[in-house]
Amino acid sequence: MDKVDISILHRALSREKKARKEAERLLESKSKELYDASLHLKEANGRLEALLSKDDSKIDGAFVNIIDPYVVMDMTTKVVNMNTSAKEFLGYDHTKEDITLSELVHEDYLEYTAESFKTLLQVGILKNYNVQIRTQHNGDRFVNINASLIYDEEGSPIAAQGVIRDITREIEIKELLEQQKQQQDIIVENSSLGILLIEQDKIVKANNAFIELLGYTEAELKKLSIDAISTIEDVSLYRDLLDDNERGESDRFSIIRKFHKKDGTSIYGKTSVNTLRNEHGGIDYKVAMIEDITNDKISEEKIRASEQRLTTLIRNFQNGILLEDENRKMILTNQKFCDLFAIPLSPQKLKGLDCRKYLNKYKELFVDPDYIIKRINHILNKKELVLSDELELVDGRTFELDYIPLIIDDVYKGHLWSYSDVTLRKNYRKNLEIQKEKYGSIIANMNLGLVEINAEGEILLVNNRYSEMIDINAEDLMGKDVLKVMGLDEANLDKIKAQFEKRRRNESDSYEIEVKLHNGEKRHWLISGAPKYDEFGKVNGSIGVHLDITKQKELEQQKQQLVNELEESNKGLQEYAHIVSHDLKSPLRSVSALATWLYDDYKDQLDESGRYNLKMMLEKVEGMDKLITGILKYSTVNSDTLDHKEVDVNKVINEISEIIFIPEHVQIKIVGKLPIIIADKTKIHQLFQNFLSNAVVNIDKKEGLVEIESKETPTHWQFSVKDNGVGIPKEYHEKIFKIFQSIGNNERSTGIGLSIVKKIIDLYHGSVWLESEIGRGTIFYFTLKK
């Protein structure tokens, strides 16, 4: 039942109560009058008998003191006499005309009147005879008549007397009450509210709505109390309400009850109780009206849960939140709001406080306090959404303010403020703008040409360098087809189109093209292209960075030409070395043979000096032969075709130990196991032979030792050749790897061996170095790439 129905029902009950009280008052008053009139009639009855035989003037005098209409009629209902009140009420005067009372009775009451007259004759008294009569001036009236017979001396009835009381108003009130009762019953039975009449906590009556609501019959409900079919969640509140009701302090109260239906389910009912009391203030009965609010309760719980979630969300929000009502009282804040403004109170203690006072208290936090006051008042006056309003604080922070008006059913209910500290973001944005300007200037003036195109190949953006490279103004390039502004032959055009397809497939790449400028000049460009994306991450074009490599191309061509010339020169030198080696060795062999023959033929004839000179000649020839062989080997290190095969270094060391001269006091030892590497065996043989040959001839100890060791790194093999010889002075550590450089005055050394070692190690992308101490020995380290 809605509020309108409840209001109507309340008004109907109120009217009924007032009407009943008025009717009771009238009935009491008229009953007393009737009682007084009856006594009066009895007292006057004896006198009336005598008076009927006397003249009219005397009878008239006897009726003077009767206030109500009083009539005396004969046995034919003809008026014998009446008092003044009767004359005024009926509008007739018996002294001027004959009046028959039965003729004044309404036709609907004729039969009832006849029966009543018979009763009067039989009993002698007629009480509470109610009838409708027609009066002369007052129209139809309802009257109540109390009458008695008048007897003669023999005891025979000779007349009847009666007092007439106008009950038209009482009848109207009674009919109105009956009508109201019928209307009330209709309202009660057809009400959507459940209605109970309760007497001494027992259900006396229940309307159809309540019966349908719980599923019980009315007979079943009459056996129960309201507490038997319902429970109350807030028991203490209910007890307080009952105490007030029992003391008479309150006749009306409302409570939420949980009603239990017959089928076992439950509903929530808003129960409004009205208490009706008797004249002594006691409780006669109670009327309970029950409204099914189950859906409202569920909705209320959902709203409450939603409000709790919203409150929790607001309290844990990273922005400072302030919720105000329409009078600018604080409804809700969160801890972040208190933290932002350094408010020492908790959010709970701020509830209900006046925001205007707090604004005036904290306005000095802002750079321009007066502006803040004006700005907030302006926002509140307009009541329109405001987002991202910046507020600067004196401590250097910047807040961003959002204002959200709360309008419900077109009624302004308050607003929400949201504060966020955007100091870092603002500084970042400022720095970003600076960086953007900085890098924009760099891009605009860098030596790389930048061009941005859309999916159709139309130019969207170029920098100054690209404009210079293409020799066209930047303004003239906007919107042009990039393929048309670049002079491309068919091969380069196909190459760029293929690159565009890669961009559409989200691929980046670098490539070279040849362009022809509008002045006919040909240029070589290196282009690095990447896809360009829209805000949804979809490829919508490409960005290209262009480098003019024309000079580099020319240098490459010159370099290639020089390389080709150098290769030819090296080839010629190698051929020359072979020729020189062959041509020089032939005379050397002849000189060596002649010197040998001279020594063999004349050694007995020559003195010691002559024999010494011939021996020195043979040694010099042998040294010259070694020098020529070393030069030939050195010149052919890079020219030989490398044969990459597995080489067991252990076997190589053993083979070298068998072919080189090793003094008897010197031992060559392999520490651990040497690896098997992929390399050219001849070059590896040369490499280790030079190290070992140098080591064994430079040991001055009684027991010489040469140790070869290796270890593996992720990219290289590292070897070491260690001896306990004379050592190498530090000033020679770098020098000995250069050609024709040897230590001291060792005439047997050509100064080529270690330079060949360095060249072979360089060939395998390795490095060589040494550690040495005079008198204690030397360790040569070198690496070979795997």
Side-chain angles (χ1 to χ4, degrees):
M1 178 179 286
D2 57 22
K3 293 182 179 179
V4 176
D5 293 338
I6 294 172
S7 178
I8 292 172
L9 191 57
H10 281 305
R11 289 200 297 272
L13 287 171
S14 178
R15 287 198 300 271
E16 182 182 6
K17 288 174 66 176
K18 290 181 180 178
R20 285 184 178 179
K21 288 183 179 179
E22 181 64 21
E24 289 172 357
R25 188 186 65 77
L26 289 172
L27 286 172
E28 289 176 0
S29 175
K30 295 301 179 182
S31 295
K32 185 176 185 307
E33 291 176 4
L34 182 60
Y35 177 74
D36 292 341
S38 298
L39 291 176
H40 182 72
L41 285 171
K42 287 181 180 180
E43 293 175 359
N45 186 61
R47 294 193 301 271
L48 285 172
E49 293 181 23
L51 289 173
L52 283 174
S53 59
K54 296 181 180 181
D55 56 23
D56 291 341
S57 61
K58 292 182 179 180
I59 292 176
D60 288 338
F63 298 148
V64 170
N65 294 324
I66 299 177
I67 298 173
D68 288 329
Y70 179 80
V71 178
V72 178
M73 67 180 183
D74 61 17
M75 300 309 294
T76 63
T77 71
K78 181 180 177 180
V79 175
V80 176
N81 208 340
M82 62 174 69
N83 66 358
T84 303
S85 296
K87 291 177 182 178
E88 291 176 354
F89 177 68
L90 296 176
Y92 298 101
D93 189 349
H94 69 285
T95 60
K96 297 179 181 179
E97 56 182 324
D98 292 334
I99 306 169
T100 304
L101 290 179
S102 59
E103 294 178 354
L104 301 181
V105 176
H106 193 278
E107 57 186 8
D108 293 340
Y109 288 83
L110 291 176
E111 184 176 351
Y112 168 64
T113 300
E115 294 293 328
S116 299
F117 193 73
K118 288 180 182 179
T119 302
L120 177 63
L121 292 175
Q122 292 173 357
V123 179
I125 296 174
L126 183 63
K127 294 183 179 180
N128 291 327
Y129 162 56
N130 295 331
V131 67
Q132 184 177 0
I133 64 174
R134 291 186 292 273
T135 65
Q136 181 75 16
H137 303 298
N138 297 321
D140 290 353
R141 307 294 292 177
F142 287 95
V143 296
N144 174 266
I145 299 174
N146 287 283
S148 62
L149 292 176
I150 301 173
Y151 301 94
D152 59 12
E153 294 177 354
E154 288 78 17
S156 299
I158 58 174
Q161 63 176 345
V163 176
I164 301 173
R165 187 166 61 87
D166 187 356
I167 61 170
T168 304
R169 180 60 179 165
E170 294 176 25
I171 294 295
E172 289 175 351
I173 290 173
K174 184 177 180 181
E175 289 178 351
L176 178 61
L177 287 173
E178 187 64 30
Q179 183 180 1
Q180 289 178 343
K181 184 176 181 301
Q182 291 175 355
Q183 291 174 349
Q184 181 179 337
D185 290 342
I186 292 171
I187 291 172
V188 169
E189 291 304 323
N190 293 281
S191 172
S192 60
L193 290 177
I195 300 176
L196 295 178
L197 184 63
I198 302 170
E199 187 175 359
Q200 294 181 351
D201 294 331
K202 292 291 184 181
I203 297 173
V204 178
K205 184 174 179 56
N207 70 342
N208 292 332
F210 189 79
I211 292 170
E212 292 174 359
L213 199 62
L214 295 190
Y216 292 100
T217 64
E218 187 173 10
E220 290 172 333
L221 288 172
K222 286 182 178 180
K223 298 177 183 178
L224 302 170
S225 66
I226 191 169
D227 291 330
I229 57 174
S230 66
T231 54
I232 295 173
E233 294 179 351
D234 195 343
V235 178
S236 61
L237 173 62
Y238 180 57
R239 287 174 180 170
D240 292 341
L241 292 173
L242 283 181
D243 291 343
D244 292 344
N245 184 249
E246 292 293 335
R247 290 193 300 268
E249 296 178 4
S250 173
D251 286 342
R252 294 182 182 181
F253 64 86
S254 292
I255 198 78
I256 303 298
R257 285 180 176 268
K258 187 177 182 181
F259 288 90
H260 310 293
K261 299 173 70 173
K262 189 175 182 179
D263 62 6
T265 59
S266 300
I267 63 167
Y268 287 94
K270 180 182 178 183
T271 307
S272 301
V273 180
N274 290 321
T275 304
L276 300 176
R277 302 179 184 274
N278 56 32
E279 64 273 14
H280 305 294
I283 298 174
D284 281 344
Y285 56 88
K286 297 178 182 179
V287 177
M289 290 179 288
I290 298 94
E291 180 184 1
D292 185 359
I293 60 167
T294 305
N295 292 333
D296 294 342
K297 186 77 172 176
I298 294 172
S299 299
E300 182 181 338
E301 290 176 355
K302 289 181 178 178
I303 291 172
R304 188 181 296 112
S306 178
E307 287 176 348
Q308 289 176 349
R309 287 193 296 269
L310 180 61
T311 301
T312 303
L313 177 64
I314 288 176
R315 285 175 178 167
N316 293 282
F317 208 57
Q318 291 304 306
N319 288 4
I321 301 297
L322 170 61
L323 184 63
E324 300 179 8
D325 64 14
E326 61 273 24
N327 299 317
R328 297 210 62 196
K329 299 293 184 182
M330 295 188 189
I331 299 175
L332 180 66
T333 59
N334 63 352
Q335 187 59 47
K336 186 66 175 179
F337 174 81
C338 298
D339 294 341
L340 286 175
F341 292 98
I343 297 174
L345 300 178
S346 66
Q348 290 77 15
K349 292 184 178 180
L350 291 176
K351 188 175 181 180
L353 297 179
D354 192 328
C355 294
R356 284 168 291 223
K357 292 181 180 178
Y358 257 78
L359 179 60
N360 287 324
K361 182 178 179 180
Y362 285 92
K363 67 179 183 179
E364 299 302 327
L365 293 174
F366 299 96
V367 173
D368 191 345
D370 295 334
Y371 169 77
I372 293 299
I373 299 292
K374 291 179 182 178
R375 178 58 180 161
I376 289 180
N377 290 333
H378 175 73
I379 292 172
L380 292 172
N381 289 333
K382 293 193 71 175
K383 295 181 174 61
E384 294 177 356
L385 179 68
V386 174
L387 298 176
S388 303
D389 230 26
E390 282 196 356
L391 309 175
E392 293 186 358
L393 282 74
V394 294
D395 61 4
R397 291 182 296 166
T398 301
F399 287 175
E400 204 168 69
L401 172 66
D402 296 338
Y403 165 81
I404 303 171
L406 304 177
I407 299 175
I408 304 172
D409 296 331
D410 296 329
V411 179
Y412 182 74
K413 293 295 184 180
H415 46 266
L416 182 142
W417 302 100
S418 174
Y419 296 87
S420 57
D421 189 342
V422 296
T423 308
L424 291 176
R425 191 172 71 190
K426 185 179 179 182
N427 292 339
Y428 174 76
R429 190 166 59 238
K430 186 184 294 183
N431 291 335
L432 194 63
E433 290 296 327
I434 294 172
Q435 295 296 324
K436 183 178 178 182
E437 184 178 348
K438 172 184 174 182
Y439 288 110
S441 176
I442 291 173
I443 289 172
N445 298 286
M446 68 182 180
N447 194 41
L448 299 173
L450 178 71
V451 61
E452 180 181 339
I453 62 174
N454 60 20
E456 287 73 34
E458 296 174 347
I459 296 176
L460 303 176
L461 174 71
V462 296
N463 68 347
N464 295 338
R465 178 55 184 159
Y466 184 82
S467 177
E468 293 172 359
M469 289 171 63
I470 203 76
D471 198 21
I472 300 175
N473 291 332
E475 295 79 7
D476 297 334
L477 289 170
M478 296 298 102
K480 297 292 180 60
D481 188 336
V482 70
L483 298 178
K484 292 182 178 178
V485 299
M486 295 163 51
L488 302 169
D489 58 21
E490 188 173 347
N492 284 287
L493 184 61
D494 291 341
K495 183 186 289 188
I496 288 189
K497 287 181 178 179
Q499 288 293 330
F500 284 0
E501 286 299 320
K502 286 187 177 182
R503 304 300 167 267
R504 295 186 183 97
R505 296 195 301 268
N506 198 24
E507 296 179 15
S508 301
D509 198 5
S510 295
Y511 57 97
E512 294 181 13
I513 63 168
E514 184 180 274
V515 298
K516 185 178 182 180
L517 305 182
H518 61 85
N519 59 6
E521 183 182 359
K522 289 185 178 182
R523 309 292 292 180
H524 290 275
W525 288 358
L526 173 63
I527 302 177
S528 180
K532 184 174 76 73
Y533 306 95
D534 60 16
E535 62 271 21
F536 304 106
K538 184 179 179 181
V539 176
N540 66 347
S542 64
I543 298 174
V545 177
H546 302 67
L547 175 65
D548 190 333
I549 58 171
T550 306
K551 291 183 178 179
Q552 287 86 335
K553 276 290 183 181
E554 292 175 353
L555 291 173
E556 282 183 7
Q557 292 173 359
Q558 294 176 8
K559 176 184 174 182
Q560 188 61 43
Q561 184 177 352
L562 290 172
V563 168
N564 294 338
E565 292 176 356
L566 185 59
E567 288 178 351
E568 291 294 327
S569 176
N570 286 338
K571 188 176 180 182
L573 286 173
Q574 289 168 10
E575 292 176 354
Y576 177 73
H578 281 283
I579 293 170
V580 169
S581 175
H582 181 270
D583 291 346
L584 288 177
K585 280 192 173 188
S586 180
L588 283 176
R589 290 190 191 102
S590 299
V591 172
S592 178
L594 291 172
T596 301
W597 294 339
L598 282 173
Y599 181 78
D600 290 339
D601 291 342
Y602 298 102
K603 63 181 178 180
D604 294 333
Q605 299 176 20
L606 294 173
D607 57 10
E608 188 65 30
S609 177
R611 289 194 297 272
Y612 174 77
N613 288 333
L614 283 174
K615 285 182 180 181
M616 288 297 296
M617 183 183 298
L618 287 172
E619 288 179 4
K620 295 298 182 183
V621 169
E622 183 183 354
M624 179 65 75
D625 183 70
K626 288 180 180 180
L627 180 61
I628 293 170
T629 302
I631 292 172
L632 181 60
K633 287 181 179 180
Y634 183 82
S635 66
T636 58
V637 167
N638 291 335
S639 62
D640 294 345
T641 302
L642 298 178
D643 186 12
H644 295 290
K645 291 182 179 180
E646 289 187 352
V647 178
D648 188 341
V649 180
N650 298 281
K651 292 181 178 180
V652 170
I653 299 301
N654 292 331
E655 290 173 359
I656 294 172
S657 299
E658 293 177 356
I659 63 173
I660 66 172
F661 170 74
I662 302 176
E664 292 181 0
H665 69 286
V666 176
Q667 178 186 359
I668 295 177
K669 180 181 178 182
I670 297 174
V671 179
K673 186 177 181 180
L674 301 178
I676 297 174
I677 64 176
I678 304 298
D680 186 286
K681 185 176 180 180
T682 303
K683 294 291 186 287
I684 300 302
H685 197 285
Q686 280 183 289
L687 181 63
F688 280 97
Q689 183 175 333
N690 277 288
F691 276 123
L692 294 175
S693 298
N694 283 337
V696 297
V697 298
N698 288 291
I699 296 177
D700 57 350
K701 308 295 187 299
K702 290 183 179 181
E703 294 182 0
L705 178 63
V706 179
E707 295 178 322
I708 301 96
E709 193 174 357
S710 69
K711 71 176 182 178
E712 184 179 7
T713 70
T715 58
H716 289 72
W717 293 106
Q718 180 176 310
F719 297 91
S720 64
V721 179
K722 178 181 179 182
D723 66 63
N724 62 344
V726 296
I728 300 173
K730 191 171 183 180
E731 60 267 22
Y732 289 96
H733 286 191
E734 295 293 335
K735 189 177 181 181
I736 57 176
F737 294 107
K738 296 179 181 179
I739 194 168
F740 304 132
Q741 299 292 327
S742 60
I743 302 172
N745 297 317
N746 189 349
E747 296 181 357
R748 296 183 60 85
S749 174
T750 62
I752 297 177
L754 289 180
S755 62
I756 292 174
V757 164
K758 179 69 167 63
K759 206 166 186 181
I760 293 173
I761 290 172
D762 290 341
L763 194 64
Y764 283 95
H765 304 289
S767 57
V768 60
W769 68 98
L770 63 99
E771 295 175 0
S772 183
E773 186 176 349
I774 300 298
R776 297 179 65 89
T778 303
I779 305 175
F780 281 94
Y781 297 96
F782 64 94
T783 60
L784 302 175
K785 190 173 182 181
K786 291 181 180 178

